[in-house]
Amino acid sequence: MTRYLAPLLASVALFASLPQSAHAELDVPALKAKIETSLESDYPRLDALYKDIHAHPEIAFQEEKTAAKLAAEMRALGFEVTEHVGKTGVVALFRNGDGPTIMVRTELDALPMEEKTGLPYASHDKAIWHGRETFVDHSCGHDIHMASWVGAAKTLVGLKDQWHGTLMFIAQPAEEEVAGAKAMLADGLFTRFPKPDVGFALHDGPGAYGTIFYRVGVGSSTADGLFIRFHGRGGHGATPQATIDPVMMASRFVVDVQSVISREKDPTEFGVISVGAIHGGTAGNIIPDEALLVGTIRTFKPEVRAKMLAGIERTAKAVAAMADAPAPDIQIEEGAKAVMNDPAVVATAEKVLKAAFGDKFRTSPPGTPSEDYSEFVNAGVPSMFFNIGVYEPERVAAARNGTGPQLPGNHSPLFAPVPKPTIETGVEAMTLAVLSAFDQRAPGH
Ligand SMILES: [Zn+2]
Ligand SMILES: [Zn+2]
């Protein structure tokens, strides 16, 4: 009797699970082929857009022309577009029946630095930034993100018989200043417009093009700004006994604070303190009154962050006490929070992207830079933030095994993505990720 019961129960269980599993399967090979056909005709336009944006980059909160270019592209695709959300941000909506709202974000801003790639479409543009003239360069690759964003929008509109719901494409200003996401939220991003059910963003980096890197959980670091002012007593450099030397205190702090990393923090946990600037004094023979030290603190976990902040404060106070100086002013400026990738969103996209890209879709450890996409996650949008490579796979392999030169990363004046395969991968991966989310959250699923 029991011998017959087991197979019978198994088939009942299979039958009971049919409605869900029958719905959930996207035909990935067929979709991939459709996306690639659409890209063949769309790419020249995306290439021209990319090179135009690259040659004319704009700095944080000045991205007027860049935003206008994206707004025009999205209007031409039939999106309902609102500009100037959070100063220069763009919100583009495409409604296609009942269903979830899926958000895709790009950044708009470039960096205050000079491009040295020598590319035919290199930027020679300048801008006024904090009162000073500076060159501007898309050296973080946000131009690749914008071209992929427009490309994915075009492809998704072309595939609108495959999904139902609302596409919410947003272009945010000032990612590099960790201020643009907050500005859009403060300007009613999720009250004037629908609050998305799921969100996606991508970032490029110096890996091989065609490769996609992802992870569940922590995706980028928490960044805090560090400002310490050491107060001393100024005087003649030849009579140090009459002074309290703040340059000495700052120097000692820079060295001693690294023992918070090496001796107090768990060595298996990520944490970095870097001091990028020390301001103090004017001449070699004058001991100044004070010295200001500016740094950055990067962590993944709140408990590691708390431990490091406590260690920094103790070290700074101890350094001042050793010199018999007044207590220093210590200021921690909260920057970007870590981006947390949602396990369910990643699991759904993972199935589809694995089927499309095979072993070129890989897990990776979290990145140590920071990202204000975390603002959207913390505002309640379960998300997936993933990375794509930009260089020829052979050059990446040669750099890795030491037979070729190191490749310039983001924020280098030599950062030079190979546009076509990078943008095509961005479009394809983003389109499939969005389709997976629509499918997963479809009504009745
Ligand atoms: Zn950057
Ligand atoms: Zn960036």
Side-chain angles (χ1 to χ4, degrees):
M1 185 63 195
T2 44
R3 277 170 65 197
Y4 296 103
L5 192 60
L8 181 71
L9 282 176
S11 66
V12 167
L14 184 70
F15 189 71
S17 69
L18 255 183
Q20 282 135 15
S21 57
H23 177 85
E25 297 311 316
L26 286 174
D27 186 350
V28 178
L31 284 172
K32 192 171 191 271
K34 277 187 189 164
I35 297 169
E36 281 165 11
T37 309
S38 147
L39 264 173
E40 246 168 66
S41 55
D42 297 344
Y43 186 73
R45 190 181 171 86
L46 296 178
D47 190 78
L49 177 70
Y50 167 70
K51 287 175 181 165
D52 176 37
I53 291 175
H54 185 90
H56 302 294
E58 293 174 299
I59 228 152
F61 287 127
Q62 299 180 17
E63 314 95 330
E64 298 283 350
K65 289 180 190 143
T66 310
K69 283 171 197 169
L70 296 194
E73 293 287 335
M74 299 307 264
R75 278 195 189 101
L77 292 174
F79 280 73
E80 184 188 304
V81 178
T82 309
E83 291 178 74
H84 301 289
V85 181
K87 203 158 184 189
T88 47
V90 179
V91 178
L93 296 170
F94 189 95
R95 296 177 211 271
N96 183 30
D98 285 343
T101 297
I102 311 294
M103 181 176 89
V104 178
R105 184 212 70 170
T106 182
E107 317 88 320
L108 291 162
D109 58 325
L111 284 158
M113 59 188 284
E114 185 176 4
E115 175 165 2
K116 294 180 179 163
T117 60
L119 288 165
Y121 50 91
S123 158
H124 305 286
D125 286 9
K126 290 180 177 177
I128 302 295
W129 190 63
H130 292 313
R132 291 223 303 260
E133 192 181 54
T134 170
F135 280 103
V136 192
D137 178 11
H138 261 303
S139 54
C140 203
H142 296 175
D143 45 0
I144 291 280
H145 309 168
M146 287 184 252
S148 305
W149 184 86
V150 170
K154 171 99 183 351
T155 311
L156 284 161
V157 168
L159 290 169
K160 67 175 185 237
D161 57 331
Q162 302 279 332
W163 57 272
H164 294 287
T166 301
L167 289 174
M168 181 170 176
F169 272 57
I170 67 163
Q172 80 154 77
E175 193 285 321
E176 295 291 354
E177 296 205 330
V178 198
K182 273 190 198 127
M184 288 189 85
L185 287 167
D187 199 6
L189 179 63
F190 295 156
T191 50
R192 290 163 58 197
F193 308 96
K195 181 164 176 195
D197 297 284
V198 174
F200 292 99
L202 60 77
H203 208 297
D204 55 9
Y209 58 60
T211 311
I212 300 152
F213 306 92
Y214 75 105
R215 64 204 72 83
V216 174
V218 178
S220 66
S221 73
T222 293
D224 292 295
L226 172 65
F227 301 84
I228 301 178
R229 196 176 291 278
F230 286 106
H231 303 285
R233 192 191 310 130
H236 201 294
T239 59
Q241 73 281 13
T243 73
I244 296 175
D245 185 350
V247 173
M248 175 79 105
M249 285 187 261
S251 311
R252 179 168 278 149
F253 174 84
V254 171
V255 176
D256 283 355
V257 79
Q258 294 304 328
S259 68
V260 174
I261 301 293
S262 65
R263 304 290 84 182
E264 294 186 38
K265 178 184 68 62
D266 179 341
T268 64
E269 298 289 359
F270 168 70
V272 163
I273 304 169
S274 291
V275 176
I278 302 179
H279 303 289
T282 52
N285 60 351
I286 307 166
I287 291 171
D289 263 337
E290 55 176 41
L292 173 69
L293 188 150
V294 186
T296 186
I297 306 159
R298 303 296 173 108
T299 48
F300 291 146
K301 294 187 179 165
E303 59 271 26
V304 176
R305 175 176 180 268
K307 182 157 237 171
M308 284 176 43
L309 295 187
I312 287 165
E313 190 178 336
R314 228 180 320 103
T315 307
K317 284 182 175 163
V319 159
M322 271 174 81
D324 201 17
D329 297 323
I330 305 165
Q331 193 192 332
I332 306 291
E333 207 167 79
E334 279 191 39
K337 300 282 186 303
V339 173
M340 298 298 281
N341 285 314
D342 183 78
V345 173
V346 174
T348 305
E350 193 175 33
K351 266 189 250 162
V352 172
L353 291 171
K354 197 93 213 161
F357 292 95
D359 66 357
K360 294 206 166 143
F361 178 65
R362 297 177 190 164
T363 54
S364 69
T368 59
S370 302
E371 214 347 298
D372 73 352
Y373 186 83
S374 54
E375 296 293 329
F376 303 124
V377 176
N378 294 344
V381 182
S383 292
M384 179 178 179
F385 187 95
F386 58 91
N387 296 82
I388 59 173
V390 303
Y391 289 129
E392 294 86 346
E394 315 79 61
R395 285 175 71 206
V396 173
R400 200 156 292 154
N401 64 29
T403 56
Q406 286 301 307
L407 296 170
N410 307 67
H411 293 210
S412 159
L414 300 172
F415 186 64
V418 182
K420 189 167 191 281
T422 305
I423 293 168
E424 288 183 342
T425 303
V427 171
E428 204 169 307
M430 189 56 86
T431 303
L432 288 169
V434 170
L435 288 173
S436 79
F438 273 123
D439 192 58
Q440 173 69 19
R441 306 248 169 172
H445 176 67

